[in-house]
Amino acid sequence: MASPEEVTFGPLLFWSIGMMLLAAGCLLLFLVTYQKRLLLQELRLRMAESAHQQQLLAAVIDAQEGERERIGQDLHDGIGSTIATAKLLVNRLSNRPAPENAPELLAMVEELMAAAVHEARSISHSLYPAVLARFGLAEAIQHLVDVCNETGTLAIELELDYTQPLALAQELALYRICQELMHNALKHAKGATSLLVSLQQHHPHLTLEVADNGCGFAAARLPAGGGAGLRNIDVRVQMLGARLHQQSTPGQGSRFIIQLKAPA
């Protein structure tokens, strides 16, 4: 006959084992549920990242099409019209008898062809700046500023402190941003008398700044439906993983600052 202690210990043992099994089951259920939530969260993040990449790709394609359209317009309005005019003058020179002002017409043809060559080189440089590949970002921006200063449209001041080069793709993106911002300032900053272009490298950041003292604008950010140039800037800033800061007030000019992490 079992003792009272054995009778009491048996149910207690089964109860303890049952509680342990229940606790283990609850823990297993919690782990499975938690793992499922993690997987769902990771899936949502991947879907969001995929959607962002698709949007970025669409923006890149749109920006490329905008650049092609602008280059086509430059070819049509610049080189195309220049060569067409030169062709008309050559046709006049080919008449018999030759016109009395043939020397003047020939000089005009030579001048037009020289302008066409200069325009072709300018477009070629805008497609891919050879000075960037050969000498780096600082020299490329220096050359860009020098060319713009030769036009005499606006006095451009340049500040450079760039000692640690980035990868060529990053330098090209920064050059394109600088080129677009300068183009916008020269075209749209009415009343401006000066333009500042600054490239400063202070670890851990690299900062590109383009500022003018022109008419400014009221928008606080790049408009979603803005021109192709503005979309190009926005896309390249995203591709660089950089940040774009804008400061502009009507009548007080505009200031664009692009900041990204510099290499150690």
Side-chain angles (χ1 to χ4, degrees):
M1 185 174 179
S3 64
E5 290 80 1
E6 293 177 348
V7 174
T8 305
F9 179 74
L12 182 61
L13 178 62
F14 286 119
W15 183 84
S16 300
I17 294 174
M19 291 300 295
M20 292 176 62
L21 291 175
L22 180 62
C26 292
L27 179 61
L28 181 61
L29 180 62
F30 171 78
L31 290 175
V32 170
T33 305
Y34 181 72
Q35 186 68 24
K36 184 181 293 186
R37 290 179 61 184
L38 286 179
L39 291 175
L40 288 174
Q41 185 178 3
E42 184 178 356
L43 179 60
R44 292 192 190 99
L45 288 175
R46 288 184 178 180
M47 292 177 62
E49 183 179 355
S50 176
H52 175 72
Q53 291 296 329
Q54 290 178 0
Q55 293 175 358
L56 185 59
L57 179 60
V60 170
I61 294 174
D62 185 53
Q64 290 176 342
E65 291 301 322
E67 287 184 344
R68 290 170 182 169
E69 181 181 356
R70 186 169 63 181
I71 291 169
Q73 192 69 32
D74 289 342
L75 288 171
H76 178 271
D77 296 342
I79 297 178
S81 61
T82 301
I83 293 178
T85 304
K87 183 175 181 295
L88 292 175
L89 295 176
V90 170
N91 289 337
R92 289 186 59 186
L93 287 171
S94 63
N95 292 336
R96 292 291 181 269
E100 296 181 359
N101 60 340
E104 290 82 0
L105 293 177
L106 181 60
M108 291 177 64
V109 170
E110 292 177 349
E111 183 178 349
L112 287 171
M113 296 309 297
V117 170
H118 177 76
E119 186 73 17
R121 288 176 177 173
S122 177
I123 293 175
S124 174
H125 179 76
S126 68
L127 287 172
Y128 189 80
V131 66
L132 175 68
R134 293 179 181 177
F135 305 109
L137 180 60
E139 288 294 330
I141 292 180
Q142 178 72 66
H143 176 73
L144 181 63
V145 169
D146 290 343
V147 171
C148 291
N149 274 330
E150 287 180 2
T151 65
T153 306
L154 190 62
I156 304 176
E157 179 185 356
L158 178 62
E159 297 178 355
L160 286 175
D161 184 6
Y162 182 70
T163 57
Q164 186 68 35
L166 301 178
L168 180 59
Q170 292 177 299
E171 290 195 338
L172 181 58
L174 283 170
Y175 177 83
R176 292 301 187 199
I177 292 172
C178 182
Q179 185 181 39
E180 193 65 51
L181 288 174
M182 289 176 60
H183 173 77
N184 288 344
L186 293 173
K187 185 176 181 180
H188 301 294
K190 297 179 181 179
T193 58
S194 65
L195 177 65
L196 170 67
V197 177
S198 174
L199 181 66
Q200 302 290 327
Q201 192 172 42
H202 301 297
H203 299 298
H205 295 112
L206 174 66
T207 303
L208 172 66
E209 177 182 349
V210 178
D212 66 77
N213 62 348
C215 59
F217 57 91
R221 61 181 63 183
L222 287 176
L230 298 180
R231 292 197 299 273
N232 290 348
I233 294 172
D234 198 24
V235 168
R236 289 192 168 99
V237 167
Q238 292 185 53
M239 293 176 65
L240 284 169
R243 289 187 296 177
L244 172 63
H245 305 279
Q246 300 172 71
Q247 301 172 3
S248 184
T249 304
Q252 298 183 18
S254 304
R255 185 183 183 197
F256 292 84
I257 301 174
I258 293 87
Q259 192 174 66
L260 69 154
K261 287 188 177 181

